[in-house]
Structure formats: C-alpha cells, structure tokens
Amino acid sequence: MNNIRYCLISPTVLKLEYNVDDNLDDKYLLSNIIKGEDFIIKKILTEEKYNELTTQIFKQSVSADNEKLIKQYIKPCLAYYVLSEVVYSTAYKMKNNPDYQNNPSSSERFNELVRVSKHYLNDSKQYEELLKEYMCDNSITKNEEYKFKSSLYLG
C-alpha cells in the first residue's frame, strides 16, 4: 500500500455529504481526519480491523459488513469530529484577528462558534458510543457462539 495513508473518510466526502466549505484546504481537513482516526477510531477498532478496512478501501473491495460499519458509524463520527475541530479553530482565528477584537459583537460571535463546535463534538461522541456498541455487540456475539459450541456436552 505504499507510504500513502488511506483514510476511512475523505475531504471530498466531507465537502459533499457534510456541507464543509469547498474553500477549506484538503490538507487541513485530512490532518483532522487523521487525528480523529488516531485518537478515536483506532482506539475502538483493533489494529487488525483498522488495517482490514483501509486495505479494502485501497483495493476498492469493501465487504458489505465493513461498508455498513464505515457508513453508519465511522464516517459520521469522523465527520462531526472534523467539523468540531474546524469550527473551533475558526473561532480562535477570528478572535485573534485585530479587526475582530475591535468589534463589539465579536465576543457573542466567538461564543456562538464555540457552541457550534461543542454541538458537533457531542454528535461525534454519540456516534463514537454507537460505534463502541456495534463493535462490542459483534465481538460478544462471536465469543458467546464460541463458548456455547465449546461447552456443549455430547456425552
């Protein structure tokens, strides 16, 4: 897979499906996607599962189960995380702008952006919890099936 990192969501998807402004630089979005994958997604998925997903994305042969996992759980979690980071960063950039500092309503605007950022972060955390539940449910089911099969008395 070369030295290229294949992510679970792309800047293009963020712009098309989550109304991220087209003027935002893809490199900036990608750095936040990678941060979200490293700090959130990789901690929930095993390294093996993460590699399986990125390999399937690279080969353009994502299984139906993994497609569901990515679309319903991972993608929204990452998208809302990236949105929270973008809005939060924008709020502080605006706050540090001298023109903005001299504006009487700047504090109100800053607070509103921070509220929006927190809203997106809460959405991301909700999807993070759903992802944890999904992963837990699938692994518990497999473990229980194994325990059940191995504990049958055929005597």
Side-chain angles (χ1 to χ4, degrees):
M1 276 192 336
N2 307 8
N3 289 332
I4 298 173
R5 179 167 176 169
Y6 290 88
C7 294
L8 301 172
I9 189 172
S10 70
T12 303
V13 169
L14 286 172
K15 291 176 180 182
L16 293 173
E17 296 180 22
Y18 291 90
N19 297 319
V20 172
D21 193 301
D22 285 336
N23 292 326
L24 281 171
D25 183 46
D26 284 358
K27 289 180 186 176
Y28 173 65
L29 293 173
L30 191 57
S31 70
N32 282 297
I33 291 168
I34 290 170
K35 184 177 165 185
E37 286 186 6
D38 289 346
F39 294 160
I40 301 170
I41 304 302
K42 283 185 177 180
K43 288 183 177 183
I44 299 170
L45 304 177
T46 62
E47 189 72 26
E48 180 183 356
K49 186 66 172 178
Y50 178 81
N51 290 337
E52 175 188 322
L53 293 172
T54 55
T55 300
Q56 288 182 7
I57 289 169
F58 170 72
K59 292 181 178 179
Q60 297 180 348
S61 61
V62 180
S63 70
D65 286 342
N66 285 342
E67 185 74 26
K68 176 183 177 181
L69 176 63
I70 293 169
K71 282 188 174 183
Q72 291 183 8
Y73 302 99
I74 294 172
K75 189 165 62 169
C77 179
L78 284 173
Y80 288 118
Y81 173 79
V82 170
L83 285 168
S84 75
E85 289 291 313
V86 167
V87 172
Y88 197 73
S89 173
T90 301
Y92 275 94
K93 285 180 185 175
M94 290 173 64
K95 185 177 182 180
N96 292 328
N97 182 325
D99 294 333
Y100 189 78
Q101 291 173 351
N102 297 328
N103 188 333
S105 64
S106 62
S107 177
E108 190 176 307
R109 288 184 194 153
F110 172 78
N111 290 336
E112 179 62 25
L113 286 172
V114 170
R115 275 193 296 277
V116 169
S117 175
K118 287 180 180 179
H119 174 77
Y120 284 140
L121 187 58
N122 285 336
D123 287 350
S124 175
K125 288 181 179 182
Q126 290 296 319
Y127 279 102
E128 181 181 344
E129 289 304 312
L130 292 173
L131 174 59
K132 287 177 184 176
E133 289 173 17
Y134 176 85
M135 295 302 294
C136 186
D137 288 348
N138 286 334
S139 64
I140 288 173
T141 303
K142 289 176 184 170
N143 288 338
E144 285 176 352
E145 286 176 4
Y146 173 75
K147 288 177 187 173
F148 177 74
K149 288 177 184 175
S150 64
S151 66
L152 284 178
Y153 176 71
L154 302 175

